[in-house]
């Protein structure tokens, strides 16, 4: 069998003192941290689209990266060889999960029927590879945003014929995800949004999106797919306004359309920052509302400001993220999917290893730091102390729904001016740095 990463053997854990760039310094899959192995906590996934289909194109020029499997011959021969390369990469890297869009693994043909046949062929191969390599599908998804038919959206398209096409595509993508034993299915809004309100019936589009998602839930039940459905928020790009703007917005949408029990969110770090939030904010919002499902682990660049999808390397960020995720009970169906791409100048196959090794090490350090933070309980104790007033007296009565405005007025008249306490932000930031 052809090898696409010759000379690279399975990436080993060599510890923090190692200077081998092709070794883990912190990610030690079987090492126990806070009651589970690192592999069980982190559930790393490699994404197919950037890692195997991305060639470094940007708005100013086409791709710079040449991949050997792209010389394999016909479109389908290329698809087969790409799959082969992907599974070689997964094994050598030592991740347990992967994620894909339908169109990443099999290129579109002239008709939907023909396209679906192509998918069936590749899915059969992928199933065998999953079994032989001990790999699992974290989630599958649909690309209903690249083809020109989706220029005005998929489920929010003004044309019911495009809506129907998108539904047919999602139907098939859910079937193949089920076939591959996928743990989940992601809806990222793609072009569900608008470029100008001058041509947009916002209410109708949102209602159609709600109907579309309900159809997905119905179909999921019909085929017996037990995976988790996720929505991945993103505020803008490619459209000026994406309907799944952020976690709070998605949560409201799910509740309005009777979908709250059927969906969780897939939070992407770079999408959080595009929405003017931190990654941590989006995670905390989801945890507070019981809707954190999975994570697209990447980062943006503050000076560029678009969705640069860089590999995560910032230990402070991974520490804060893992601190939230651990406190939220950890992943069940979800995991950390590296929805990230190597830079345009990183043209060698080995760069894919450097990128993933660094990101996995960054999250392993984040996990270990977060576990220590939780064990010490300093931050939890500080927050509990800050809100302790709500555990007794008038605070407890408000929380229990026993006090109203009149009781609060009586309380205020009796106690006068409230006592104020420092927020201690600088001290807390200093303590955080002791863990990072
Ligand atoms: C786009 C993005 C997608 C989704 C899957 O910004 O993040 O790759 O994760 O469609
Ligand atoms: Co993503």
């Amino acid at each position: 069998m052809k090898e696409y990463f010759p000379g690279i053997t399975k990436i080993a854990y060599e510890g923090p003192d190692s200077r081998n760039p092709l070794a883990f310094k912190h990610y030690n899959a079987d090492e126990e941290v806070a009651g589970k192995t690192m592999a069980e906590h982190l559930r790393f996934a490699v994404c197919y689209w950037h890692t195997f289909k991305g060639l470094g194109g940007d708005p100013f020029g086409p791709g710079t990266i040449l991949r050997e499997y792209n010389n394999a011959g016909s479109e389908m021969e290329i698809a087969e060889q790409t799959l082969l390369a992907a599974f070689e990469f997964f094994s050598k890297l030592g991740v347990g999960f992967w994620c894909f869009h339908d169109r990443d693994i099999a290129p579109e043909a002239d008709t939907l029927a023909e396209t679906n046949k192509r998918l069936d062929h590749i899915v059969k191969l992928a199933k065998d590879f999953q079994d032989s390599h001990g790999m699992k599908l974290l989630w599958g998804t649909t690309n209903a945003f690249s083809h020109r038919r989706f220029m005005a959206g998929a489920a929010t398209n003004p044309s019911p014929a495009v809506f129907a096409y998108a539904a047919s595509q999602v139907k098939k993508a859910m079937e193949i995800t089920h076939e591959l034993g996928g743990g989940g299915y992601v809806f990222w809004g793609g072009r569900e949004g608008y470029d100008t309100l001058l041509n947009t019936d916002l209410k109708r589009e949102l209602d159609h999106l709600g109907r579309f998602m309900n159809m997905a839930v119905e179909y999921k039940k019909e085929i017996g797919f037990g995976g988790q459905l996720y929505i991945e928020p993103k505020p803008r790009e490619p459209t000026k306004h994406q309907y799944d703007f952020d976690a709070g917005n998605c949560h409201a949408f799910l509740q309005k359309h009777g979908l709250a029990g059927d969906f969780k969110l897939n939070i992407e770090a770079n999408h959080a920052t595009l929405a003017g939030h931190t990654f941590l904010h989006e995670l905390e919002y989801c945890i507070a509302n019981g809707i954190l499902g999975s994570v697209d682990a990447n980062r943006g660049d503050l000076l560029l400001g678009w969705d640069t999808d860089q590999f995560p390397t910032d230990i402070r960020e991974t520490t804060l993220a893992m601190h939230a995720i651990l406190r939220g009970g950890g992943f069940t169906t979800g995991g950390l999917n590296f929805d990230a791409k190597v830079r345009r100048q990183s043209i060698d196959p080995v760069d894919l290893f450097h990128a993933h090794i660094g990101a996995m090490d960054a999250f392993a350090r984040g996990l270990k730091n977060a576990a220590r933070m939780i064990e010490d309980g300093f931050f939890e104790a500080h927050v509990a102390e800050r809100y302790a007033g709500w555990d007794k007296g008038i605070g407890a009565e408000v929380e229990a729904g026993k006090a109203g405005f009149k009781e609060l007025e009586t309380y205020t008249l009796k106690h006068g001016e409230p006592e104020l306490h420092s927020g201690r932000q600088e001290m807390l930031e200093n303590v955080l740095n002791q863990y990072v």
Side-chain angles (χ1 to χ4, degrees), residues 174-189:
M174 285 176 85
E175 289 164 10
I176 62 170
T177 299
H178 183 34
E179 170 82 18
L180 290 168
Y185 185 89
V186 163
F187 290 85
W188 167 57

Side-chain angles (χ1 to χ4, degrees), residues 119-120 123-124 127 130 137 172-182 223 225:
L119 263 175
D120 288 336
V123 165
K124 203 165 165 295
K127 205 172 173 185
Q130 282 194 167
L137 179 63
K172 181 69 180 173
M174 285 176 85
E175 289 164 10
I176 62 170
T177 299
H178 183 34
E179 170 82 18
L180 290 168
I223 62 174
F225 172 47

Side-chain angles (χ1 to χ4, degrees), residues 49 101 139 141 145 186 188 232 234 268 271 296 307 339:
W49 51 102
H101 298 85
W139 48 260
T141 187
F145 45 87
V186 163
W188 167 57
E232 180 177 325
K234 183 173 182 179
E268 178 161 326
H271 296 178
D296 273 6
D307 195 7
D339 189 355

